[in-house]
Structure formats: C-alpha cells, structure tokens
C-alpha cells in the first residue's frame, strides 16, 4: 500500500500547477466521490488520489475505508518467518488467532484483540517459532567449527586446560550498552596441576592467603583494578606467573614460615 | 550561659514537606451517570496493575543491581508528552514503551483521523527527533482503529 500513497501526493502537486480547468475537474470528482463512498470501493487508488487532492484544496473530506486485515489472506501453510521476522509487538491484523485478553466485564467476555493494549504490552515470542530457530541455526552453522573430538570428557579438558577464566557479560535496557562490572575477570587454577615441589607449594599457599581454598585445592584470582577486561585478564595471568616464580625462589633470609 | 540552660539537650524533630500527592485520586476516573466511555486502561485503577493490567513501560532498570531507573522514568515521561502532542487527538490509548537493549520501541494505537501519508510523515519525524535526542535507535510500531475501543461506560 505504500506505493499507492506516494502517487496521490505527486498527482495532486501536478494538478495544482494546472490551469483553471483543474478546479472544474475537482468539483466533478467530489460529486462522484459522494456517490461512490457509500459503496465499498475496490479501486482504492482513484479514491485516494481524489481524497488527497481535495484535502490539499481544503474541501470536505470523506473517510477512506480501511482495507481488510492481512489475516484474511493468510494460508495455513504460509511462511510465518516472513510475518514476524524479528521481535515485534503484537499486531492484531497480522496474527490470525482469535486471542482475547483482559479482565471481562460483568457477564461478559475478555476484550477482543483489536486495539487491545494488554496484548501489546506483553512481550511475545511470535518471532521464535521452531522453524525460525532452525533457520537461525542454519545461517550460523557456516561460522562454527566442530568441537575437537579428543576432548570428550571433563578430566581431559581439565588436564589440557587447567586454567579457567570467567568473566560476565551484561545485557540491560538503556541508552548505554556498557556496564562497568563487565571488566571483572576471575581466574581459577588447581595447584595440583602446577609444577610445585613441597617448599614451593607451601610458599604459594602462604602468599595467596585467602585466595586459596583447601577443600578444592583451587587458587582463585579476581582482578578488577583495570578498566578493560583484556587488561584485567593480562594482569591476572601476570599475577599467576609471578606467584609461581616467587614460590620456587628460596629466600634464605626468611628463617621460618 | 542562661540561654544554654533554657534549651534541652540535643532533642530535635524534623519536618518533611512535599506537595500534596493525592495518591487516592491519581489515574482514576470516577463513576458517573453512565454516559462516559472508558477504555480498559482507564477503567482499572493503579492498584490493579500487576493483577488486571500490565505495565505500560518495560525496561530492566528496576531489577536488582541495575541502575538508570530514574533516567528511564524521565525519558518515558518526555516520550509520552511528545507523542500526545505530535499526534494530537489521534491517540486512542496510552503509549506503550519497550526497550530492547539499546533500541527504544514505542507502540501506539491511533484513531484513523489523519491520512496515512500524514501518519507516515509524523512517524518518521518522531523517530528522527527522538533518536537524535536520546542517541539511540527509536522505532514506532503503530496500529490504527476506526474509533476508541470502549471497555465500559461509567
């Protein structure tokens, strides 16, 4: 329908530039409109052009009939992903279901879907049907790689990748997408996976103080002093490296632990 | 020395003053003769929100640990007034505001008072201005009805 709307604007402009004969044309058009508006006109283009032209001239405006909703023309096996490709609010003219929502009046029924604000308020998942999700997955598959087949158990993952790094992503609704808490990085490593002898292990535990958990033998380093997550990750790795090398260093000046 | 003996020791009361809030009368249409038509939104009073009504504006700032609630409220108030003024006389019901991440979605139900071309122009104008004000993408999803959807008569 959008294509039809631009036409009357252009045609009315061209009609203004015409000579005096145009005014006689408009008067005859208005008479025709008053007869035809009583009947539902199928030629929406012509009535629209005359209505827009008469609106520009400032004459009596007749109400343009609204077309039928899209639900009338929907087939049962249509492509629903074309109707709701992205997240959108509920539109009663595009959802062919007779949904009712609201508290009913006494001895009545809940209000119908047309102009129903309650249905518009709630979030809907009409854009996430199984077919739509399958299409998303198919489109994303070309960017994914296979999980390495050698890493098929948790123990193997822990053996090859003993350091676990955790960081949080935040999604919120607001003008800015950044959240300062997203820079925090937590590094977890089991001391048994590090190459430490008896003295080094004791010194490491002494250096870590409360960051070491004895039950799970895990060292947890949390860094949030830098403004960026990459910087915090580098700092955490640096701390781990320094702790490791310091724990191996035997300082003869210290007499007892 | 005499004046300090007259005053009692460290006992003060403070008075807080606000404008009259009229919390019993806000957003309520009083029952009348039976000729006043009200929409579903107007018929139910604020204490029905969460029970029989939904929320007109949705964002994550009211959750635990999230900030920016006050800014969102101010934006909402401005957007409602802006919509009321731009589409004067065309609004059939309250404006619903949703926020999806950065995107600001304004859902409105309009009466078919203006020509569709005029509606399209006003939608574009609103989206452009608001996105420049708030530096975020703004989308308007509009529905039109022939006349106001009446829920009951008060």
């Amino acid at each position: 329908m959008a294509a039809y709307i631009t036409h009357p604007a252009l045609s009315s402009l061209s009609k203004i530039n015409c000579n005096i004969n145009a005014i006689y044309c408009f008067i005859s058009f208005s008479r025709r409109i008053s007869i035809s508006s009583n009947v539902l006109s199928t030629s929406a283009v012509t009535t629209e052009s005359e209505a827009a032209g008469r609106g520009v001239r400032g004459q009596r405006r007749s109400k343009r009939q609204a077309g039928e909703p899209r639900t009338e023309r929907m087939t049962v096996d249509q492509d629903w992903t074309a109707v709701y490709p992205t997240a959108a609010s509920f539109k009663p003219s595009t959802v062919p279901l007779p949904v009712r929502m609201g508290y009913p009046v006494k001895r009545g029924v809940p209000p119908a879907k047309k102009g129903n604000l309650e249905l518009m308020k709630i979030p809907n998942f009409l854009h996430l049907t199984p077919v739509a999700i399958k299409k998303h997955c198919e489109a994303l598959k070309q960017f994914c790689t296979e999980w390495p087949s050698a890493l098929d158990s948790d123990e193997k993952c822990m053996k090859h990748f003993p350091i676990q790094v955790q960081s949080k992503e935040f999604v919120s609704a607001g003008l800015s997408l950044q959240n300062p808490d997203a820079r925090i990085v937590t590094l977890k490593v089991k001391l048994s996976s590090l190459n430490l002898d008896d003295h080094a292990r004791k010194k490491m535990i002494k250096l870590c103080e409360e960051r070491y958990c004895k039950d799970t033998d895990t060292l947890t380093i949390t860094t949030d002093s830098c403004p960026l997550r990459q910087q915090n990750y580098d700092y955490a790795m640096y701390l781990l490296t320094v702790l490791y090398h310091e724990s191996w260093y035997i300082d003869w000046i210290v007499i007892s632990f | 020395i005499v004046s300090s003996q007259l005053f009692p020791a460290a006992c003060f009361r403070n008075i807080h003053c606000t404008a009259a809030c009229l919390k019993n009368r806000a957003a309520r249409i009083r029952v009348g003769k039976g000729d006043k038509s009200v929409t579903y939104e107007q018929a139910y009073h604020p204490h029905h929100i969460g029970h029989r009504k939904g929320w007109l504006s949705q964002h994550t700032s009211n959750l635990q640990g999230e900030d920016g609630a006050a800014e969102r409220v101010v934006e909402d108030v401005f957007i409602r007034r802006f919509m009321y003024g731009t589409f004067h006389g065309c609004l059939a019901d309250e404006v619903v505001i949703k926020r999806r991440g950065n995107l600001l979605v304004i859902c409105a139900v309009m009466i078919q008072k203006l020509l569709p071309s005029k509606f399209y122009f006003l939608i574009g104008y609103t989206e452009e201005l608001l996105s420049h004000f708030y530096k975020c993408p703004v989308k308007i999803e509009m529905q039109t009805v022939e006349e106001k959807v009446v829920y009951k008569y008060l």
Side-chain angles (χ1 to χ4, degrees), chain B residues 21-30 46:
Chain B
C21 287
L22 289 176
K23 288 197 264 196
N24 298 338
R25 299 192 68 101
R28 281 158 215 263
I29 296 196
R30 301 269 146 180

Side-chain angles (χ1 to χ4, degrees), chain A residues 198-215:
Chain A
D198 187 45
H199 156 266
R201 195 188 152 81
K202 282 202 188 124
K203 186 165 177 193
M204 175 82 108
I205 293 171
K206 197 90 177 180
L207 282 171
C208 302
E209 295 163 14
E210 74 268 356
R211 290 178 194 81
Y212 175 72
C213 170
K214 219 190 308 188
D215 301 326

Side-chain angles (χ1 to χ4, degrees), chain A residues 22-144:
Chain A
I23 302 175
Y24 297 130
C25 297
F26 278 175
I27 295 171
S28 63
F29 283 166
S30 68
R31 222 171 281 151
R32 231 185 295 155
I33 289 300
S34 56
I35 300 163
S36 64
S37 63
N38 293 334
V39 188
L40 262 173
S41 58
T42 50
S43 57
V45 186
T46 44
T47 47
E48 226 182 291
S49 61
E50 273 110 22
R54 280 186 295 104
V56 166
R57 304 297 296 183
Q59 295 184 14
R60 183 180 44 91
R61 253 182 291 153
S62 77
K63 207 156 152 48
R64 175 171 166 259
Q65 298 292 345
E68 57 171 20
R70 190 174 162 183
T71 51
E72 312 290 322
R73 277 173 276 138
M74 280 181 171
T75 57
V76 175
D77 55 351
Q78 67 170 337
D79 182 22
W80 184 252
T81 54
V83 184
Y84 268 89
T86 51
S89 62
F90 182 88
K91 295 182 192 72
S93 56
T94 53
V95 178
L97 305 167
V99 187
R100 288 182 172 267
M101 178 149 173
Y103 196 82
V105 206
K106 214 173 190 177
R107 304 166 65 127
V109 288
K113 63 177 180 175
K114 188 164 178 207
N116 196 332
L117 206 67
E118 298 300 311
L119 280 166
M120 274 169 62
K121 285 178 192 173
I122 52 168
N124 64 62
F125 295 97
L126 292 162
H127 58 291
L128 291 177
T129 49
V131 180
I133 296 178
K134 243 189 237 174
K135 274 192 184 174
H136 282 301
C137 292
E138 288 303 317
L140 287 172
K141 252 193 191 144
Q142 53 174 318
F143 302 109
C144 299

Side-chain angles (χ1 to χ4, degrees), chain A residues 5 52 61 63-64 66 87-92 102-105 111 114-115 117-118 120-123 170-177 179, chain B residues 40-41 44 52-56 58 60 66 72 75 93-94 98-102 107-109 112 116-117 120 134 136 141 143 146 149 151:
Chain A
I5 289 162
R61 253 182 291 153
K63 207 156 152 48
R64 175 171 166 259
S89 62
F90 182 88
K91 295 182 192 72
Y103 196 82
V105 206
K114 188 164 178 207
L117 206 67
E118 298 300 311
M120 274 169 62
K121 285 178 192 173
I122 52 168
F170 289 85
V171 177
S172 68
L175 299 180
S176 162
L177 289 172
N179 191 319
Chain B
Y40 188 91
E41 190 64 32
Y44 285 110
R52 297 184 191 176
K53 286 207 297 191
W55 277 267
L56 282 169
Q58 289 183 343
T60 59
E66 301 283 336
R72 304 292 98 75
E75 283 164 26
D93 216 336
E94 297 281 336
K98 297 187 184 181
R99 285 183 176 79
R100 281 185 210 123
N102 204 9
C107 311
V109 186
Q112 287 161 5
S117 51
Y120 281 121
Y134 290 125
C136 65
E141 296 182 0
Q143 294 174 26
E146 273 98 38
V149 180
Y151 180 66

Side-chain angles (χ1 to χ4, degrees), chain A residues 146-167:
Chain A
E146 288 279 328
W147 181 261
S149 51
L151 293 173
D152 50 359
S153 69
D154 272 344
E155 292 82 26
K156 281 194 192 161
C157 291
M158 284 301 291
K159 186 175 130 219
H160 292 285
F161 301 98
I163 303 178
Q164 287 180 345
V165 178
Q166 288 170 356
S167 62

Side-chain angles (χ1 to χ4, degrees), chain B residues 78-91 95:
Chain B
F78 178 82
I79 289 168
R80 282 175 209 285
R81 282 179 191 239
F82 189 89
M83 293 294 286
Y84 182 73
T86 315
F87 297 91
H88 196 81
C90 301
L91 275 178
V95 172

